[in-house]
Amino acid sequence: MAAAARRGRAGDPRAGFRRDAGEPGPAVPQGLIRAARKNGQLNLAGRDLSEVPANVWRINLDIPEEAHQNLSFGATDRWWEQTDLTKLILASNKLQCLSEDVRLLPALTVLDVHDNQLTSIPSAIGFLENLQKLNVSHNKLKNIPEELTQLRHLKSLLLQHNELSHLPDGFGQLISLEELDLSNNQLATIPSSFASLTSLVWLNLAHNQLKNLPAEISAMKSLKQLDCTKNQLETIPSELATMASLEQLYLRKNKLQYLPEFPSCKLLKELHVGENQIEVLSAEHLKHLNSLCVLELRDNKLKSLPDEITLLQGLERLDLTNNDISSLPCALGNLPQLKLLALEGNPLRTIRRDMLQKGTQELLKYLRSKIQDDITSPNEGSPVTAMTLPSESRINIHAITALKVLEYSEKRAAVIPDEIFNAVGSNSVTTVNFSKNQLNEIPKRIVELKESVCDVNLGFNKLSSISLELCVLHKLTHLDIRNNFLTSLPEEMEALIRLQIINLCFNRFKIFPNVLYRIPTLETILLSNNQVGSIDPLQIRKMDKLGTLDLQNNDLLQVPPELGNCVNLRTLLLEGNPFRTPRGAILAKGTATVLEYLRSRIPT
């Protein structure tokens, strides 16, 4: 009978190619199934599947087909010693539903079905008691089964880009949950049971229809990042201010008319409240935010800033674009860490437009000089007499002694005169500004300032190389050498062990300077408008302090997906490069979305 069956198959020229009736889409190669039995992982992403083949669900139950055909097994072929399936990836297929047979894989710790056409999750999901990560994003889910709330070991739940309008009341039972993404759904309310999610670290509620947040949300004592961008929030519960672990809060694109106070948010580093209707920023809003690095208030209705802005001593970025501010407190110039001050679109009367266009550092120096003007009368100072050397009349002695600034900019000079350095004397200079001249090389006497100088601006010159004199400025934290003719940086720059910010925009780099990978203190790299063709994501990932990377308008033909693992990046700018992916629509959604997209493209 068996022989007859074999003869029957041998006579059919389509044997081996015909699919059984009802078999769902392309078959899964047996080689993948065999490998999955050995390593416990099965990746079926992007295989055009409209259903999951039954042998996938039964992978740990059925005797393998090869066991019937080969009765002599080597050590590597002992199917009875197979590993339980722990990781199943079904992403980017055409699945409209998942079988209840998912219960046959109780050892699963990771289930990824993102980017399908699922309208529901089977109730059998509750049987996957070992599940730690579930990704059901980018589907068409309208509800979540109550059984999902039984997954007590679940740490990551990704539900973004679905059609959810409500959540199960028992959501708070997911006590191990650390990451929850509910963005881009249709949620109008959040269950009060969220209060029980005390392990939650990262919560994304952006792009929903929330009109308020439950006060119970304040019970999430581990929460570090909360994103409520683009909802319909008119107020924020005062209880939010008691969330002591909160580090990043996004409230952009809502209907807020005022900011809450944050008496307990001592660790808050980033506050994003742009595109609201906020009219007043008071001292009460600011006095507790000792750790704040980023304050984004663009597109509101602010008319002024309080002098207490100087309480934010760690502030690095302040975005006030498109408000109604007519004047700035000069004390703003004394913020020691401020690297970016955005003021476009305000009716400023006290600051000329050309001053605004000179950039943040020049603007801050201008504000500091205005503080001095307030102290002394405008005409006070040493007059130029017959006994005054001509060069001394152009040296700002007050800036050297009081502000610790050595400035010789906008002189169109090919060299810096010796008397400029002589004027320093025994004073400690922390800031050097030789920008907007015609320097072909870095002044050798800059080494005389190595014990004190922290900030050097050599932008807008004609430098084609960096000399070793710069590499011995071991206290340097900020280096601006934009708008020069640089093509490389010397390896000796790795001696700049305190360097935090480097501006290399508008030069002629074709290769990302390798020495930057070896300066672990770097927090900001500005490299736009060059000709850089590639970057090394593995090296960038090691730069754990790097928060801003600007690579706009370069020659990047591709963006390595592994760059998505650089989760410390808060600002990644890639516009104006010739790569095809990520598309412009992805880039426009901001750094978090770009990084998430890149991670989804990493081969597994």
Side-chain angles (χ1 to χ4, degrees):
M1 183 73 179
R6 284 196 297 273
R7 284 196 302 273
R9 287 198 295 271
D12 185 348
R14 295 167 296 176
F17 295 92
R18 186 188 298 163
R19 194 179 292 151
D20 292 341
E23 188 174 332
V28 178
Q30 282 301 311
L32 279 181
I33 297 291
R34 282 196 296 272
R37 287 197 177 100
K38 291 180 180 179
N39 63 26
Q41 301 183 13
L42 181 57
N43 187 345
L44 300 178
R47 290 187 170 271
D48 230 20
L49 297 175
S50 56
E51 288 181 53
V52 180
N55 63 336
V56 171
W57 301 128
R58 301 184 60 83
I59 188 170
N60 295 135
L61 297 178
D62 293 345
I63 296 175
E65 185 177 332
E66 60 268 25
H68 297 295
Q69 299 169 356
N70 182 7
L71 299 178
S72 60
F73 295 98
T76 59
D77 296 318
R78 292 186 292 202
W79 56 267
W80 54 85
E81 294 181 357
Q82 65 183 327
T83 300
D84 285 343
L85 197 66
T86 58
K87 184 176 183 179
L88 177 58
I89 300 178
L90 297 165
S92 301
N93 282 293
K94 297 179 179 178
L95 303 176
Q96 296 183 2
C97 65
L98 289 180
S99 167
E100 295 285 341
D101 286 345
V102 69
R103 74 179 68 197
L104 302 178
L105 298 173
L108 277 184
T109 59
V110 176
L111 176 58
D112 185 348
V113 288
H114 84 269
D115 190 21
N116 278 284
Q117 300 168 25
L118 298 176
T119 56
S120 64
I121 299 174
S123 58
I125 196 79
F127 286 90
L128 305 184
E129 58 184 24
N130 293 298
L131 202 62
Q132 295 181 24
K133 181 171 183 177
L134 176 60
N135 187 347
V136 208
S137 63
H138 294 269
N139 278 285
K140 298 179 179 179
L141 300 178
K142 289 183 165 45
N143 53 62
I144 301 296
E146 193 74 42
E147 288 80 1
L148 187 144
T149 64
Q150 299 168 13
L151 303 177
R152 301 299 168 83
H153 295 103
L154 196 64
K155 293 183 178 180
S156 173
L157 177 56
L158 306 181
L159 291 163
Q160 68 268 31
H161 290 275
N162 278 287
E163 299 171 13
L164 301 173
S165 57
H166 66 279
L167 297 172
D169 289 335
F171 218 85
Q173 298 177 56
L174 298 172
I175 54 175
S176 299
L177 208 57
E178 297 175 3
E179 177 185 30
L180 175 58
D181 195 337
L182 290 161
S183 62
N184 292 276
N185 278 285
Q186 299 165 19
L187 298 171
T189 59
I190 297 298
S192 57
S193 64
F194 263 45
S196 301
L197 302 179
T198 53
S199 298
L200 202 62
V201 175
W202 191 86
L203 174 59
N204 192 344
L205 297 169
H207 294 262
N208 277 286
Q209 298 170 16
L210 300 173
K211 293 185 177 178
N212 54 61
L213 294 174
E216 290 83 0
I217 202 170
S218 61
M220 297 179 182
K221 296 303 182 186
S222 302
L223 198 65
K224 291 184 177 181
Q225 179 172 321
L226 174 59
D227 192 343
C228 297
T229 300
K230 201 169 185 184
N231 278 280
Q232 299 172 28
L233 300 174
E234 296 182 2
T235 60
I236 298 298
S238 58
E239 289 82 359
L240 189 75
T242 65
M243 301 179 74
S245 296
L246 203 60
E247 295 181 4
Q248 294 174 297
L249 177 58
Y250 295 82
L251 297 168
R252 301 183 72 244
K253 297 186 178 181
N254 279 285
K255 298 179 179 179
L256 301 176
Q257 295 183 0
Y258 60 89
L259 273 179
E261 296 173 19
F262 298 96
S264 299
C265 297
K266 304 292 187 184
L267 301 179
L268 192 65
K269 295 176 181 175
E270 296 189 27
L271 177 57
H272 299 260
V273 285
E275 297 187 58
N276 279 284
Q277 300 165 25
I278 298 170
E279 296 183 4
V280 176
L281 184 67
S282 72
E284 295 301 312
H285 296 131
L286 303 174
K287 66 181 183 182
H288 304 290
L289 301 179
N290 301 329
S291 300
L292 205 64
C293 298
V294 178
L295 178 56
E296 191 258 306
L297 285 156
R298 62 175 300 141
D299 294 284
N300 276 286
K301 298 179 179 180
L302 292 174
K303 291 180 172 57
S304 63
L305 279 183
D307 286 338
E308 287 79 6
I309 193 79
T310 55
L311 295 173
L312 307 181
Q313 286 289 296
L315 197 63
E316 298 175 9
R317 291 170 50 202
L318 176 59
D319 190 347
L320 299 166
T321 305
N322 297 331
N323 276 278
D324 297 326
I325 297 170
S326 57
S327 64
L328 289 176
C330 294
L332 198 61
N334 285 330
L335 287 177
Q337 304 297 326
L338 194 60
K339 308 299 187 302
L340 175 65
L341 175 59
L343 293 166
E344 296 83 358
N346 281 284
L348 289 166
R349 300 191 187 96
T350 55
I351 301 176
R352 300 191 314 274
R353 178 170 295 278
D354 64 319
M355 177 57 68
L356 292 176
Q357 293 172 344
K358 289 182 178 180
T360 297
Q361 295 308 313
E362 292 297 316
L363 180 56
L364 295 180
K365 289 170 186 174
Y366 171 77
L367 290 171
R368 286 197 293 271
S369 72
K370 297 296 285 183
I371 296 175
Q372 185 62 28
D373 287 348
D374 291 341
I375 297 172
T376 61
S377 65
N379 298 319
E380 189 174 314
S382 303
V384 179
T385 68
M387 295 297 293
T388 306
L389 292 173
S391 60
E392 286 182 354
S393 66
R394 60 189 179 187
I395 299 174
N396 189 337
I397 300 297
H398 168 76
I400 294 173
T401 56
L403 302 178
K404 300 184 178 181
V405 173
L406 181 61
E407 182 162 5
Y408 194 78
S409 62
E410 299 187 69
K411 303 286 194 257
R412 301 183 62 81
V415 295
I416 304 297
D418 280 340
E419 54 262 38
I420 299 297
F421 288 103
N422 294 341
V424 174
S426 60
N427 292 288
S428 293
V429 166
T430 59
T431 300
V432 171
N433 183 5
F434 294 156
S435 65
K436 296 186 179 178
N437 283 296
Q438 298 188 31
L439 302 179
N440 292 310
E441 61 179 11
I442 294 173
K444 289 182 167 44
R445 289 189 64 182
I446 202 169
V447 299
E448 297 172 12
L449 311 174
K450 67 177 183 178
E451 296 304 324
S452 59
V453 71
C454 304
D455 182 339
V456 170
N457 187 350
L458 290 161
F460 298 90
N461 277 289
K462 295 183 177 181
L463 302 174
S464 57
S465 64
I466 298 297
S467 62
L468 299 186
E469 282 82 6
L470 190 73
C471 303
V472 300
L473 305 181
H474 56 92
K475 293 190 176 180
L476 201 61
T477 60
H478 181 233
L479 176 59
D480 189 342
I481 39 180
R482 73 182 112 165
N483 292 77
N484 279 284
F485 302 142
L486 300 172
T487 58
S488 64
L489 297 178
E491 299 301 314
E492 289 81 359
M493 278 186 66
E494 66 180 310
L496 301 178
I497 56 173
R498 299 186 185 183
L499 192 62
Q500 297 174 5
I501 297 172
I502 187 165
N503 190 340
L504 300 167
C505 300
F506 291 95
N507 276 284
R508 298 180 178 179
F509 292 95
K510 292 185 177 180
I511 298 172
F512 190 98
N514 277 322
V515 67
L516 297 183
Y517 294 134
R518 301 197 299 279
I519 305 178
T521 51
L522 275 172
E523 298 174 4
T524 297
I525 298 176
L526 306 178
L527 198 56
S528 68
N529 295 280
N530 280 278
Q531 302 162 41
V532 174
S534 64
I535 49 175
D536 186 339
L538 300 181
Q539 296 285 357
I540 289 177
R541 189 179 183 185
K542 295 176 184 177
M543 303 173 73
D544 53 7
K545 287 189 166 61
L546 189 64
T548 298
L549 178 59
D550 184 354
L551 292 166
Q552 296 177 98
N553 301 318
N554 276 281
D555 292 339
L556 295 174
L557 291 173
Q558 62 177 7
V559 182
E562 293 78 10
L563 193 61
N565 287 329
C566 301
V567 293
N568 289 322
L569 284 176
R570 297 192 301 268
T571 303
L572 174 62
L573 303 174
L574 296 169
E575 290 82 357
N577 281 280
F579 55 75
R580 292 190 175 183
T581 57
R583 299 187 309 277
I586 297 289
L587 297 179
K589 292 181 179 178
T591 299
T593 300
V594 172
L595 295 180
E596 179 189 355
Y597 170 83
L598 290 173
R599 285 194 295 273
S600 74
R601 308 272 292 188
I602 297 175
T604 53

